[in-house]
């Protein structure tokens, strides 16, 4: 199956700093990528839809100035958590949709665990 | 907004017992997908259902899409310890261009 990588897998930062998370589709092109946030033992909450070459679409309640998304190429989307605070600590997962696949399925990255001190 | 609920939230079964999780959407869906997330891992795609009343099988797993395309179920026959994890449904509504994940059902299998 298609592979999506995420980097870094874990990051610990001080409050007030910014953290960039990369999501790459390794063997397919993804015009659309999704960013999710998952709290322990909870479901995946869609934060935003990242579209190559255009602005991301944010879900209600997600601050676009705090969670900056850039989808500069067909294989890379980045999420930057700006001025991170302890309440931003979470598991962030990206997914990429293989529009050329049979099922239009989403392939998930391994996730990034962010801890803000 | 659209909501996708799953029941039960948790299920503990003895190895060899059957297991079913139910998924209910507040809106009619174009299609529904099922994912499995192992503890500490990321969601992995299992299957997609598109047609009203569709039933698909994968070995011991049976997936069903309701006639009204607002609910779905996943049934596992004779569970094994490898079935442990959280099962999520994800519903897609035409025009929204996104999947909304269900609340998930966490399955524990006792050997």
């Amino acid at each position: 199956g298609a592979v999506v990588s995420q980097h870094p897998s874990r990051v610990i930062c001080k409050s007030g700093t910014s953290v960039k998370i990369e999501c790459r589709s390794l063997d397919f092109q993804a015009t659309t990528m999704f960013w999710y946030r998952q709290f322990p033992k909870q479901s995946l909450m869609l934060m935003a839809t990242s579209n190559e070459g255009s602005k991301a679409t944010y879900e209600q309640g997600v601050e676009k100035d705090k969670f900056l998304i850039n989808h500069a190429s067909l294989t890379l989307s980045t999420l930057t958590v700006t001025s991170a605070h302890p309440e931003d600590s979470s598991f962030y997962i990206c997914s990429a949709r293989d529009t050329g696949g049979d099922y239009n399925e989403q392939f998930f990255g391994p996730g990034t665990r962010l801890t803000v001190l | 907004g659209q909501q996708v609920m799953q029941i039960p939230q948790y299920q503990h079964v003895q190895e060899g017992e059957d297991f079913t999780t139910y998924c209910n959407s507040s809106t009619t869906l174009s299609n529904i997908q099922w994912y499995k997330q192992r503890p500490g891992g990321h969601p992995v795609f299992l299957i997609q259902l598109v047609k009203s009343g569709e039933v698909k099988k994968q070995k011991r797993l049976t997936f069903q899409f309701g006639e009204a395309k607002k609910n779905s179920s996943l049934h596992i026959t004779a569970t094994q310890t490898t079935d442990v994890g959280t099962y999520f449904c994800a519903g897609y509504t035409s025009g929204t261009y996104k999947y909304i994940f269900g609340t998930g059902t966490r399955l524990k299998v006792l050997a």
Side-chain angles (χ1 to χ4, degrees):
Chain A
V3 178
V4 174
S5 70
Q6 237 179 288
H7 179 79
S9 57
R10 292 178 181 271
V11 57
I12 300 173
C13 68
K14 293 182 179 180
S15 185
T17 59
S18 294
V19 176
K20 180 186 281 189
I21 303 170
E22 293 187 348
C23 177
R24 294 180 185 273
S25 57
L26 298 185
D27 49 4
F28 66 99
Q29 293 183 334
T31 55
T32 303
M33 291 185 175
F34 302 90
W35 287 96
Y36 295 86
R37 184 173 179 175
Q38 186 176 36
F39 290 104
K41 300 183 180 180
Q42 293 192 22
S43 185
L44 288 81
M45 300 301 298
L46 180 64
M47 298 175 65
T49 302
S50 171
N51 303 296
E52 188 268 335
S54 64
K55 291 183 179 180
T57 304
Y58 289 82
E59 294 300 301
Q60 192 172 9
V62 177
E63 298 177 56
K64 61 181 181 180
D65 293 331
K66 181 165 184 64
F67 298 100
L68 300 178
I69 291 172
N70 184 279
H71 195 155
S73 77
L74 287 172
T75 59
L76 173 65
S77 176
T78 60
L79 166 68
T80 301
V81 183
T82 62
S83 188
H85 287 96
E87 58 265 30
D88 298 324
S89 299
S90 189
F91 191 51
Y92 292 87
I93 312 178
C94 71
S95 72
R97 179 183 291 166
D98 183 2
T99 52
D102 292 336
Y103 290 105
N104 205 29
E105 67 205 74
Q106 293 183 66
F107 295 94
F108 284 84
T112 297
R113 190 162 301 282
L114 170 64
T115 303
V116 184
L117 303 176
Chain B
Q2 181 188 5
Q3 290 187 327
V4 182
M5 306 295 292
Q6 281 181 253
I7 56 171
Q9 189 175 5
Y10 304 96
Q11 184 86 61
H12 293 183
V13 299
Q14 286 292 138
E15 189 173 21
E17 291 182 340
D18 293 355
F19 160 77
T20 304
T21 171
Y22 300 91
C23 174
N24 294 286
S25 170
S26 60
T27 60
T28 302
L29 302 170
S30 300
N31 66 69
I32 194 162
Q33 297 179 342
W34 284 91
Y35 292 82
K36 177 183 178 181
Q37 184 176 23
R38 293 182 184 275
H42 59 276
V44 175
F45 174 82
L46 294 177
I47 208 158
Q48 176 171 288
L49 304 171
V50 179
K51 299 177 183 177
S52 169
E54 188 172 13
V55 177
K56 286 189 176 181
K57 292 190 175 184
Q58 286 181 351
K59 297 183 180 179
R60 294 179 294 104
L61 277 61
T62 302
F63 304 84
Q64 187 167 10
F65 201 8
E67 294 289 342
K69 301 183 75 173
K70 293 184 71 174
N71 56 68
S72 181
S73 65
L74 158 59
H75 179 83
I76 302 178
T77 304
T79 54
Q80 300 175 358
T81 54
T82 53
D83 295 325
V84 165
T86 302
Y87 293 85
F88 292 101
C89 62
Y92 183 86
T93 303
S94 179
T96 64
Y97 306 104
K98 62 189 179 185
Y99 283 86
I100 300 299
F101 275 74
T103 47
T105 296
R106 189 174 316 141
L107 172 65
K108 280 193 176 181
V109 180
L110 307 173

